[in-house]
Amino acid sequence: MTKRMILPLIFGISGIAVLLWLGFWQMERLNWKRDIIASIEDRRFGEPAPLLDNYKTATPDTHNYLRVAFEGKVTGNEAHVYAPQKSGLGYRIVSEFKWNSEALFVDLGWVPEGQKNVQRPTGPMKITGYISFPDDHDESFTPEPDIANNIWFSRLVSPMAQHFNITPFLVVAESAQIQQGDAWVNYTAVMASPISLNIKNDHKEYAITWFSLALVWFGMTGYLLWRIRQKTV
């Protein structure tokens, strides 16, 4: 090996090492993300748990998407969250819900724009849904709420709770039944609209990219060293 080859060799080995490290790091992140997704899916699609056992201890890391079932009373005190869909303009109806001695929020679902201010049935209700810590608010792009017209542009639970004097806790309904006389009937005034899980896990693609670059770097280094050797023979 000539002296002219030492620096390119060090540079080549260093580059390959860094790229391989990035690839293996992405593989570690892939497994970490898979564990998180599996945990969330277990919560989201498992048997509903009693709300009582999870209400006080809920945190975003441990309880987001946890399925729960409970019974209380819907009051008709609502926040209307602007939520256009493919079918047209409309709002998510986030309603005050009396449960035990607490008042919390239940996202009952979606209504078309023309039904925003329609008076909806109130009274005893059974809810099956999931605890939610929404992430649909962006400080840079989400407009301030139009309090006068009761229009919110994200489910920003803390400000809504302060405005309505309600505990900052949200459950998204998968299904709801309201009491009519002695019978429980499906609540149809609002279309239940649970948000589907779509958790991206791109770490495998990132790992393949880094490993591919390492392979390319290896080939380029080998070619450069061969050229240098040919010139010095």
Side-chain angles (χ1 to χ4, degrees), residues 78-85 89-95 106-113 116 120 130 132 134 136 150-155 160 170-174 190-196:
E78 300 174 346
H80 302 152
V81 182
Y82 183 65
Q85 296 188 359
L89 301 180
Y91 296 86
R92 297 189 76 91
I93 304 301
V94 181
S95 180
V106 172
D107 181 342
L108 292 171
W110 188 85
V111 297
E113 184 178 28
K116 175 183 182 297
R120 280 167 274 275
Y130 58 88
S132 180
D136 51 10
N150 191 18
I151 298 176
W152 302 74
F153 295 95
S154 68
R155 293 171 302 164
M160 286 198 308
L170 176 68
V171 174
V172 177
E174 296 175 359
V190 176
M191 181 178 67
S193 185
I195 297 173
S196 61

Side-chain angles (χ1 to χ4, degrees), residues 149-216:
N149 293 301
N150 191 18
I151 298 176
W152 302 74
F153 295 95
S154 68
R155 293 171 302 164
L156 196 58
V157 176
S158 292
M160 286 198 308
Q162 185 175 5
H163 177 73
F164 288 97
N165 194 26
I166 292 173
T167 302
F169 188 87
L170 176 68
V171 174
V172 177
E174 296 175 359
S175 63
Q177 292 182 311
I178 194 165
Q179 189 174 26
Q180 290 184 356
D182 294 330
W184 291 93
V185 299
N186 291 332
Y187 186 72
T188 58
V190 176
M191 181 178 67
S193 185
I195 297 173
S196 61
L197 286 177
N198 185 21
I199 305 172
K200 294 182 67 174
N201 188 5
D202 297 331
H203 296 291
K204 183 177 180 180
E205 288 75 11
Y206 295 152
I208 291 172
T209 298
W210 291 122
F211 287 138
S212 298
L213 288 172
L215 182 61
V216 171

Side-chain angles (χ1 to χ4, degrees), residues 4 22 34 36 42 48 53 63 95 127 129 131 134 143 180:
R4 292 180 61 188
L22 288 170
R34 282 175 174 169
I36 289 178
D42 285 344
D53 296 338
H63 288 72
S95 180
I127 296 288
I131 297 171
Q180 290 184 356

Side-chain angles (χ1 to χ4, degrees), residues 15 51 71 77 113:
L51 183 59
E71 183 178 334
N77 189 22
E113 184 178 28

Side-chain angles (χ1 to χ4, degrees), residues 94-108:
V94 181
S95 180
E96 178 185 31
F97 195 92
K98 296 286 189 178
W99 170 76
N100 291 344
S101 59
E102 301 285 351
L104 49 89
F105 282 121
V106 172
D107 181 342
L108 292 171

